[in-house]
Amino acid sequence: MGANSALIFNIIINVAILLVFFRFLMQLAAVSPYNPVVLSTVKATKIVDIFSRIFPTVGKGRVNLAALILLIVLYLLKIFGGMYLSGFMPNSPIHLVILTFVTMIQDLLRFCRYLIFATIILSWVVMFTQSRSPYIEVIQELAEPLLAPIRRVMPNLGMIDLSPIIAILALYVIEIIMNEVARVLLIGL
């Protein structure tokens, strides 16, 4: 019973996190609000609109604080619920908060890596099929803020775009550093 309830809890909380996370990133990356994928994500996350009455959007309307705070609450529930259902309890509230933020950052880095891989593969699909779907457009628009700074610095190599490789390497280095810092912080508690 405990393993099944933990599995169901993880599935439900991860789907909720993924939807709110997509909503936050789509607004942050300024993805076209008329894209059907964005519209369906906004409809699925109406609870963010309720929180928006309390927490405003900042950064010229790109940083949705309501989605970010809801994301933090969902991650806290995920970490605490997972620990509770597995029989472990956090050492202290500070331990729980640090573990929550570390998990959020790890998931963000992992998502960015997957997003860049998806962009690489979908660029080939677009090149060979000469067709674009709303899903491809959303993925490419989400990846552009990650790749654009690298493209500005890199010399133009024509058809060869090395920015995804450099972005993946940079994300990997950041992830290694962040994991080491998290390990030191969590051992210190």
Side-chain angles (χ1 to χ4, degrees):
M1 170 100 179
N4 289 338
S5 59
L7 179 66
I8 292 169
F9 173 77
N10 277 334
I11 290 171
I12 292 170
I13 200 83
N14 284 333
V15 168
I17 286 172
L18 186 64
L19 285 171
V20 174
F21 189 60
F22 269 138
R23 169 127 182 212
F24 176 75
L25 286 180
M26 286 177 189
Q27 190 167 349
L28 185 65
V31 176
S32 170
Y34 302 109
N35 188 308
V37 177
V38 176
L39 290 173
S40 62
T41 303
V42 169
K43 283 182 184 176
T45 56
K46 284 287 187 191
I47 191 165
V48 174
D49 296 331
I50 295 169
F51 279 95
S52 292
R53 296 178 188 150
I54 302 167
F55 304 106
T57 48
V58 294
K60 298 180 183 175
R62 292 182 81 175
V63 179
N64 190 340
L65 289 180
L68 186 61
I69 290 172
L70 184 60
L71 201 57
I72 292 170
V73 168
L74 286 170
Y75 266 101
L76 275 168
L77 284 172
K78 176 184 176 179
I79 300 297
F80 183 76
M83 291 176 123
Y84 180 77
L85 290 173
S86 64
F88 299 112
M89 291 307 288
N91 298 339
S92 68
I94 295 171
H95 180 256
L96 182 65
V97 169
I98 290 174
L99 193 57
T100 298
F101 282 107
V102 165
T103 304
M104 284 179 66
I105 293 170
Q106 287 173 333
D107 287 351
L108 174 66
L109 293 171
R110 189 176 307 115
F111 177 78
C112 290
R113 234 183 16 244
Y114 292 154
L115 185 66
I116 292 170
F117 279 126
T119 303
I120 294 169
I121 292 168
L122 291 176
S123 70
W124 294 338
V125 170
V126 168
M127 185 174 66
F128 289 124
T129 63
Q130 298 297 317
S131 66
R132 296 178 64 89
S133 77
Y135 298 102
I136 293 174
E137 289 176 12
V138 166
I139 289 173
Q140 288 177 337
E141 287 183 44
L142 281 174
E144 191 57 31
L146 295 170
L147 301 176
I150 298 169
R151 287 184 182 137
R152 281 193 294 267
V153 175
M154 294 271 311
N156 188 358
L157 299 175
M159 293 286 292
I160 300 172
D161 185 13
L162 296 178
S163 60
I165 295 169
I166 294 171
I168 289 171
L169 289 174
L171 286 170
Y172 184 68
V173 168
I174 291 169
E175 190 172 3
I176 289 172
I177 293 169
M178 205 276 315
N179 287 340
E180 189 63 30
V181 168
R183 187 181 65 78
V184 168
L185 283 174
L186 291 174
I187 288 175
L189 295 176

